[in-house]
Amino acid sequence: MCFLGFGSYFCYDNPAALQTQVQGDMKVDTTTFMALYAWYSWPNVILCFFGGFLIDRVFGIRWGTIIFSIFVCIGQVIFALGALFNAFWLMELGRFVFGIGGESLAVAQNTYAVSWFKGKELNLVFGLQLSMARIGSTVNMNVMGLIYSRVQEMLRSTGYTTLGVTLMIGGVTCIFSLICALVLAYLDRRAEKILCKEQGKTGEVIKLTDVKDFSLSLWLIFIICVCYYVAVFPFIGLGKVFFIEKFKFSSKEASAINSIVYIISAPMSPAFGFLVDKLGRNITWVLCAVVTTLASCIMLAFTFWNPWIAMCLMGVAYSLLACALWPMVAFVVPDHQLGTAYGFMQSIQNLGLAIIAIAAGMILDSRGYLFLEVFFSACMCYMGQVILKPLSVTGGDLNLSSRKREKLQKLAAAEAENQEKLRCQNEDDLAKLQPQNEFSLRNRYLSRLGAQLPGNYAACHLSALAHKSVLK
Amino acid sequence: MPGSSGGCLSVLCLLGSFYLLAGDPGGCCRKVSLQYNPGLNSSSVNLLHVRAVGCNNTLHYVWSSIGAPTALLVYTDSESSALRVNWTKLLSPSPAGAIVVEPAGSVLYSTAVVFSRVFEYNGANTSDLTAVHEDNFYPTYDLADFSWESVNRTLNETALSATFQGVSVSDPKGAFRNGSISFRVTAYEESSRDTLLPRLLHTANSSKVEFIVNRVAPRGNGSRFALEIITVEEKGGRKTLESLRSINDEYTPTIFEVAQLVSDARNDSAGPSFLQWKATAYSSQNAMREDSYHCRYYPLQTANRTLPRLSIAHAYFGEALASQHSVAAINISFGSEDNEAYEEKGYLSWSALIGFGTPPKDTFSPLVMAIMVVALGTPVVLLVAGSFVVLLVQKKRLEEMAAKDHLA
């Protein structure tokens, strides 16, 4: 499951890893180059909401995942073809198609995670997914340049052909992701058969208007997500110059310290995920993360202390937040709305990021880094105060310790099991009415006759009897 | 919580008033007049006299492109002191004494800043001037050998500014076919802040000079420029290079460092003189943050420095200049490995303040103060108030319990 997102994260940052090459080969300036990212992110403000909705309503999670993976593949191929044919507009189109798949795939991944791991190691799984994503982009950053120079040696020419071939090679990761999606779908089907659970047949179907009925806690979670991501990512995006000018770092050091947040989050988020799984109390953890981030923001803004301290703190806080925050959605949303809820969360996160990235740029242009940091700190403060407090009140079992949560879950699980049994039985009853194979007909006939049937032929297992192989 | 908000407000007012008090280090306003080539009916040479009259003193700035571009700064404690220029002497090979400020007794302090040379080098590998290999330097532009256009054309009496625009006389590669190097001079009547980046805070006792390289063709890929500045101090005086790093980049986004050359402290009203600049240059006329070039300066060189042979500094300080005055030079280079190369925009501008008194210093703006107090202060207040309330409630409860016990 974790590899599902690998391809899309790997290819998402392809342009950044090959920026000089792309700009040189395609002969475009930086602004035009940045359009490659804009084409990815702007449509996603809306698209991944619909992506999530489609997963819930139309495709189901398995087909949804497969379809979105296919989109990712096709997008990357178009992107590479654009480079091969030296057509920049084709590259932009490729990024757009890639974007249709990319973010929705992330939504699908989250939904999968919840449907498989809810009540078990959900936080850990989210942590693992995050670290996989980070590894994806890190590998990309380091590998793509190498591949490019190899291809260049092989073809003995520079130019757009080399770029196209390199991107095609990058596209292999997308195929890999697609294969993962297929395997997942197979596994999910099997699991469903074995565990006798079925999706989408609960009778409740999500409508788009359900969005307005999302609970207050869910909205608060959304707002936290937006506020936090908005305060951390734009800063990282704009941070390099800050470290060079304020702390007199060299260009290389500045890049290194700027990426430390991601590097830390790769190993830390599974660890924290495990911790949060064991201890529960998600809200407390989120609060911790927010306070830590606030501290590091203040440190960066008001002191000349070594920024490595602040940035490492921020990395730790970020990984803690990511693996404590995302799984919270699963606790406050009914299962059939999960895809939509995650889609919506991703949508407004994208929207927030897109708007704040512009706003942060403007603030920086007119008022500088100090003001920016103060602004972000204020964001954090209000988030901590105004939002987390009501959330801990209204959030119900969000902040339970894992032991309490387990108890509740056992209760719920027992109830669900009962219902499930009932449902299974009903189905069996229904099955009795359906035309049956000769084996079961013979059984019924025998039992009517009053002949003794082996004990394991008990009524509850009758549906299993439909599969002859089980008997052998 | 009315108490806390009232507290916040009063703190804000206090900060605000403090800010207003601290914001005007320049003292009184000055009356500034510009005079072009006083006493000469020709514009073949440029000499701009800026006379800034204040309460009980007058500042004279003499900007000239006769020889190397030079700014001569004279502080007098009289409101009626005047500049006299002996043009025949000034334009002769020995100009000593051609420029005087009368009455001589009113002169408290004088100093000069000479912009002597512009270096061009290949900065593709490193922008550090001291690390660049000699082979990577292109022939130096000696500003004394430039031909300067008439300043009269660019003189703006309302904006109190003028531009010295020059091209290299010996220009075999045609680098100056479309381009020029210029110095734009602006005088101020009162303290305030520029509206354009780098938004230097200036006092009435200072002027601004902008060094501009506009469309001068670079002589190679990855060309970078550096400027050599020479300062002249009176006998026994000495300039020191100071670097001020602050956390505040509000006025000049992304720039946290101010560098200044300050002379020794003085006992009279003149105060020290200074040359102050922010560690940034810009690659566009309408400077934006992303046009910023990293600007780097190198240690002050004091040993064996001489002035260019032609400069109005000779005319004012006389022949004894080299032996009796202390001369120091500093190099400033523009652009670093992270910045785009000069050839992309073909424009470079760098601003510095030059003047008397304590160099101006940026303070937090009221807006930032307000946000800090409200956003970061409120949680603290709430925390304290909250714990206070909790304590009170507990105490009350204890008392009630005690009362019950008593009743029982």
Side-chain angles (χ1 to χ4, degrees), chain B residues 321-355:
Chain B
L321 193 150
S323 54
Q324 293 189 2
H325 292 73
S326 63
V327 174
I330 186 168
N331 290 330
I332 298 167
S333 70
F334 310 104
S336 76
E337 294 86 342
D338 295 304
N339 301 140
E340 58 195 343
Y342 164 80
E343 62 246 34
E344 281 193 33
K345 293 268 183 68
Y347 186 87
L348 168 73
S349 103
W350 169 78
S351 313
L353 275 188
I354 190 167

Side-chain angles (χ1 to χ4, degrees), chain A residues 7-215:
Chain A
S8 89
Y9 280 110
F10 184 90
C11 294
Y12 169 71
D13 269 336
N14 269 350
L18 294 172
Q19 180 168 8
T20 39
Q21 287 92 332
V22 170
Q23 283 186 275
D25 292 348
M26 307 300 293
K27 302 191 173 52
V28 291
D29 61 10
T30 313
T31 327
T32 328
F33 171 80
M34 288 318 284
L36 287 178
Y37 278 98
W39 273 104
Y40 178 92
S41 52
W42 276 108
N44 270 312
V45 170
I46 299 167
L47 280 177
C48 54
F49 170 61
F50 285 105
F53 177 70
L54 287 176
I55 290 174
D56 275 348
R57 179 75 185 266
V58 186
F59 299 138
I61 182 165
R62 284 173 233 146
W63 277 108
T65 313
I66 293 170
I67 289 169
F68 291 134
S69 304
I70 292 174
F71 264 114
V72 167
C73 288
I74 295 176
Q76 178 69 11
V77 169
I78 296 178
F79 183 54
L81 282 180
L84 271 179
F85 296 138
N86 195 14
F88 196 73
W89 64 268
L90 199 58
M91 290 179 86
E92 288 177 342
L93 178 73
R95 288 297 283 185
F96 176 67
V97 176
F98 182 78
I100 295 177
E103 293 289 296
S104 305
L105 188 62
V107 175
Q109 201 182 5
N110 289 341
T111 318
Y112 253 132
V114 173
S115 80
W116 284 19
F117 293 100
K118 190 178 177 190
K120 288 164 227 156
E121 303 89 4
L122 188 56
N123 296 299
L124 174 63
V125 171
F126 270 96
L128 274 175
Q129 279 182 0
L130 180 72
S131 88
M132 213 56 207
R134 293 299 156 230
I135 292 173
S137 24
T138 315
V139 169
N140 159 66
M141 284 291 176
N142 296 316
V143 163
M144 284 314 272
L146 270 179
I147 296 181
Y148 184 88
S149 50
R150 280 286 157 79
V151 172
Q152 193 176 333
E153 268 171 37
M154 249 165 52
L155 296 178
R156 305 205 173 287
S157 73
T158 52
Y160 47 85
T161 330
T162 320
L163 186 64
V165 173
T166 314
L167 290 177
M168 279 291 182
I169 295 173
V172 171
T173 54
C174 292
I175 306 277
F176 177 64
S177 284
L178 179 59
I179 294 170
C180 285
L182 291 170
V183 171
L184 272 182
Y186 170 72
L187 287 179
D188 195 47
R189 233 181 106 119
R190 229 183 61 152
E192 180 190 299
K193 265 185 198 157
I194 294 173
L195 300 178
C196 193
K197 74 169 182 185
E198 253 175 283
Q199 288 179 329
K201 286 195 180 172
T202 39
E204 294 169 86
V205 179
I206 184 152
K207 294 186 290 280
L208 275 182
T209 47
D210 281 0
V211 170
K212 71 173 168 24
D213 299 327
F214 279 166
S215 66

